[in-house]
């Protein structure tokens, strides 16, 4: 299963901003998003997030960051914004797990070869020459050049190495367990998500504490860390139903979908759309039960870079669930949050007050869409009310919108005009550079 966090903007923040007319049109009804898209176009996010100085690191570590940027849609920018040596430890942790995940995803590897590889993968970290060159997966470079990654792994402090090795071992064993069986019960769904994402959350938390940027309790509370990972992974699984079906993968638990269809693939048939949406709504409700843990976990964090790293994907996740809930499009195509939404969430999710406001907003959005005829509607209402109470303990919501309607209208017009100007200037600049090079 892909180690991908929800979100569309984080992974591209460090690259050249390429926002087009469609991004503007999608955010026309949300002027605050246009304002933030304009700031994004002007490079505000880049200057406030990226801290990595490539000139100060080794060539092999530069290569690792290159692989990070090529393989991660969501992790790259926030990893590179982490403080101190934690940045490198998390980068290597991600690449090691990406390599392991690539082995699991590669359907061309026979089970009799793949299972021992998954079990033994953690040992390859201490084998300088180990590499795998027969993968057909798109991220195969992390296997083909694994010696570079393992070299940098062995350069890390021992406390970081111990965490990465332990998590890699447990994840490999768990992945092997689910190679030959499907997810049947909700308990098994939690178990599978623990192996591929909860362990990532646990490992990251232990790295945070090992760096001393966070208190020991952050790394010691495995239950909260696991819940952080489960929330992200369940969101991915819900959103990616159609993509997984097309690629022959099934991660929705039979215990839920069997109430609505004879086969999981039947949910994609037009005549079953109503039952499909009801099934998805039940799974969204299940995922929302992790939100209270998310709030508790984030409230413990002290370091700003760690907070951003953890909060941004979680906020993207709840925005994604709000977009998916009661939405037939999940079974017809791709459901994505607007780029303006993603940029706004990323820029806002830097403190607990803002995080609570974001969670309240999207929880309320889901609440407004709950169909009374839905079998899981009462469960959804209960968890939403719980989330809203936790997000709004004193009955006062901190507004994320700092503009009056008049100012928003003006900002929308100014943003559109400025966007055209900046795009024209950018194009002219590119043409000038190309002419100079020729």
């Amino acid at each position: 299963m892909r180690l991908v966090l929800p979100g569309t903007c984080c992974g591209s923040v460090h690259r050249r901003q390429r926002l087009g007319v469609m991004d503007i049109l999608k955010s026309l009804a949300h002027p605050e998003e246009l304002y933030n898209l304009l700031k994004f176009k002007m490079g505000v996010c880049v200057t406030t997030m990226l801290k990595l100085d490539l000139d100060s690191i080794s060539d092999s570590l530069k290569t690792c960051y290159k692989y990070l940027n090529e393989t991660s849609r969501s992790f790259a920018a926030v990893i590179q914004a982490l403080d101190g040596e934690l940045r490198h430890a998390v980068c290597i942790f991600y690449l090691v797990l990406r390599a392991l995940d690539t082995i699991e995803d590669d359907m061309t590897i026979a089970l009799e070869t793949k299972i021992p590889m998954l079990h033994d993968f953690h040992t390859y970290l201490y084998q300088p020459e180990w590499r795998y060159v027969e993968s057909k997966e798109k991220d195969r470079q992390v296997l083909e050049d694994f010696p570079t990654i393992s070299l940098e792994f062995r350069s890390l402090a021992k406390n970081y190495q111990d965490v990465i090795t332990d998590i890699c071992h447990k994840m490999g064993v768990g992945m092997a367990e689910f190679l030959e069986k499907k997810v049947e019960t909700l308990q098994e769904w939690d178990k599978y998500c623990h192996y591929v994402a909860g362990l990532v959350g646990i490992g990251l938390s232990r790295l945070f504490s090992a760096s001393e940027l966070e208190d020991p309790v952050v790394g010691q509370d495995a239950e909260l860390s696991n819940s952080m990972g489960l929330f992200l992974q369940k969101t991915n699984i819900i959103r990616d139903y159609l993509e997984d079906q097309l690629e022959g993968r099934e991660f929705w638990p039979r215990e839920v979908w069997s109430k609505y269809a004879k086969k999981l693939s039947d949910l994609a048939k037009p005549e079953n759309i109503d039952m499909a949406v009801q099934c998805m709504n039940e799974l969204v409700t299940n995922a929302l039960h992790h939100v209270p843990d998310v709030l508790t976990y984030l409230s413990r964090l002290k370091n700003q870079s760690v907070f951003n790293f953890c909060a941004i994907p979680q906020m993207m996740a709840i925005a994604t669930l709000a977009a998916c809930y009661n939405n037939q499009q999940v079974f017809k195509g791709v459901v994505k949050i607007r780029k303006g939404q993603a940029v706004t969430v990323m820029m806002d999710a830097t403190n607990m007050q803002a995080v609570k406001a974001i969670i309240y907003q999207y929880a309320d959005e889901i609440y407004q869409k709950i169909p009374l005829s839905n079998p899981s509607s009462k469960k959804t209402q209960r968890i939403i009310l719980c989330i809203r109470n936790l997000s709004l303990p004193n009955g006062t919501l901190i507004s994320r919108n700092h503009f009056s309607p008049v100012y928003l209208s003006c900002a929308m017009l100014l943003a559109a005009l400025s966007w055209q100007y900046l795009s024209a200037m950018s194009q002219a600049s590119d043409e000038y550079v190309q002419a100079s090079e020729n």
Side-chain angles (χ1 to χ4, degrees):
M1 187 67 180
R2 300 169 302 280
L3 296 171
V4 179
L5 301 184
T8 57
C9 82
C10 294
S12 59
V13 169
H14 60 289
R15 305 185 185 101
R16 179 181 174 189
Q17 297 96 330
R18 293 176 179 173
L19 305 177
V21 174
M22 286 304 298
D23 297 309
I24 298 176
L25 293 177
K26 289 178 181 178
S27 292
L28 276 178
H30 307 271
E32 73 283 357
E33 291 181 12
L34 282 177
Y35 174 76
N36 287 326
L37 280 170
L38 179 60
K39 290 172 69 176
F40 178 73
K41 179 73 173 179
M42 296 172 69
V44 172
C45 294
V46 176
T47 58
T48 58
M49 287 192 68
L50 299 188
K51 298 180 181 180
L52 180 64
D53 180 8
L54 289 174
D55 294 333
S56 65
I57 62 177
S58 66
D59 289 341
S60 56
L61 191 52
K62 287 179 185 177
T63 300
C64 288
Y65 278 103
K66 173 177 173 288
Y67 293 151
L68 173 69
N69 289 324
E70 290 173 350
T71 59
S72 172
R73 292 185 300 177
S74 329
F75 251 161
V78 282
I79 285 178
Q80 291 169 98
L82 288 169
D83 289 334
E85 61 184 16
L86 177 63
R87 177 187 312 137
H88 304 323
V90 174
C91 173
I92 299 306
F93 182 48
Y94 176 86
L95 291 177
V96 168
L97 297 187
R98 171 62 68 188
L100 177 64
D101 189 60
T102 302
I103 292 291
E104 185 215 17
D105 277 348
D106 195 330
M107 303 303 290
T108 67
I109 304 175
L111 286 182
E112 58 266 25
T113 301
K114 183 183 290 190
I115 290 175
M117 285 179 71
L118 292 174
H119 278 280
D120 297 339
F121 199 86
H122 66 289
T123 67
Y124 303 153
L125 292 166
Y126 294 99
Q127 300 178 29
E129 302 303 319
W130 187 90
R131 71 178 75 223
Y132 186 76
V133 296
E134 298 177 21
S135 176
K136 308 301 181 185
E137 290 292 298
K138 63 182 179 63
D139 294 330
R140 59 186 175 273
Q141 70 266 35
V142 295
L143 291 170
E144 294 171 349
D145 194 20
F146 197 75
T148 297
I149 297 170
S150 67
L151 172 66
E152 286 301 325
F153 163 82
R154 293 187 298 276
S155 298
L156 296 172
K158 187 178 184 304
N159 55 349
Y160 294 137
Q161 290 186 37
D162 290 345
V163 172
I164 294 172
T165 303
D166 181 51
I167 296 300
C168 185
H169 184 202
K170 290 175 179 175
M171 185 177 289
V173 171
M175 286 177 167
E177 178 183 335
F178 276 90
L179 279 178
E180 298 184 276
K181 72 176 185 180
K182 293 184 178 180
V183 178
E184 297 288 337
T185 65
L186 283 169
Q187 186 176 8
E188 286 183 343
W189 199 37
D190 281 354
K191 188 176 184 181
Y192 174 76
C193 291
H194 163 73
Y195 283 139
V196 300
L199 283 171
V200 180
I202 292 169
L204 286 169
S205 298
R206 289 169 60 185
L207 291 177
F208 299 156
S209 294
S211 71
E212 299 184 354
L213 293 176
E214 296 296 345
D215 291 337
V217 67
V218 173
Q220 293 166 354
D221 195 333
E223 184 176 349
L224 286 187
S225 301
N226 184 62
S227 205
M228 293 276 284
L230 263 59
F231 184 56
L232 298 179
Q233 193 66 19
K234 287 180 179 181
T235 299
N236 282 337
I237 289 172
I238 292 167
R239 179 199 59 197
D240 293 343
Y241 164 84
L242 191 59
E243 178 183 338
D244 287 336
Q245 280 292 306
L246 294 174
E247 296 186 13
R249 299 188 296 253
E250 293 190 354
F251 300 107
W252 284 25
R254 175 186 288 272
E255 180 180 335
V256 175
W257 65 255
S258 62
K259 294 187 287 186
Y260 302 93
K262 292 183 178 180
K263 296 186 297 183
L264 182 56
S265 58
D266 288 344
L267 296 179
K269 296 178 180 179
E271 63 269 26
N272 297 328
I273 191 63
D274 290 338
M275 299 298 282
V277 170
Q278 290 180 13
C279 179
M280 176 184 60
N281 288 349
E282 184 169 343
L283 291 180
V284 171
T285 300
N286 176 281
L288 288 171
H289 280 82
H290 297 290
V291 174
D293 283 348
V294 169
L295 283 166
T296 302
Y297 182 96
L298 293 176
S299 69
R300 291 178 175 175
L301 301 179
K302 296 180 179 179
N303 179 270
Q304 186 64 59
S305 71
V306 172
F307 185 90
N308 295 348
F309 177 88
C310 296
I312 290 172
Q314 300 290 333
M315 298 308 100
M316 297 291 189
I318 195 165
T320 300
L321 286 182
C324 290
Y325 186 81
N326 211 46
N327 186 352
Q328 296 183 2
Q329 187 60 28
V330 172
F331 303 93
K332 300 176 182 179
V334 180
V335 173
K336 290 184 177 181
I337 60 176
R338 299 180 301 276
K339 184 155 289 191
Q341 251 183 302
V343 169
T344 299
V345 166
M346 183 186 68
M347 294 175 71
D348 284 357
T350 57
N351 61 78
M352 274 309 297
Q353 281 191 327
V355 160
K356 288 180 178 180
I358 293 169
I359 288 177
Y360 186 96
Q361 171 192 333
Y362 288 114
D364 190 63
E365 184 176 316
I366 293 172
Y367 190 84
Q368 299 302 323
K369 295 194 293 184
I370 298 175
L372 295 179
S373 59
N374 206 91
S376 60
S377 61
K378 292 190 182 299
K379 291 182 179 179
T380 312
Q381 289 172 343
R382 283 197 294 270
I383 186 58
I384 291 294
L385 289 174
C386 174
I387 292 169
R388 294 202 303 190
N389 288 335
L390 290 172
S391 303
L392 202 63
N394 299 320
T396 304
L397 181 65
I398 304 298
S399 175
R400 295 168 57 213
N401 184 355
H402 307 294
F403 309 99
S404 72
V406 174
Y407 287 138
L408 282 173
S409 300
C410 293
M412 182 170 65
L413 178 60
L414 177 61
L417 293 173
S418 299
W419 194 288
Q420 289 183 332
Y421 173 76
L422 286 168
S423 298
M425 291 297 291
S426 176
Q427 182 178 355
S429 175
D430 288 346
E431 291 173 353
Y432 176 79
V433 171
Q434 291 174 3
S436 299
E437 291 174 346
N438 295 332

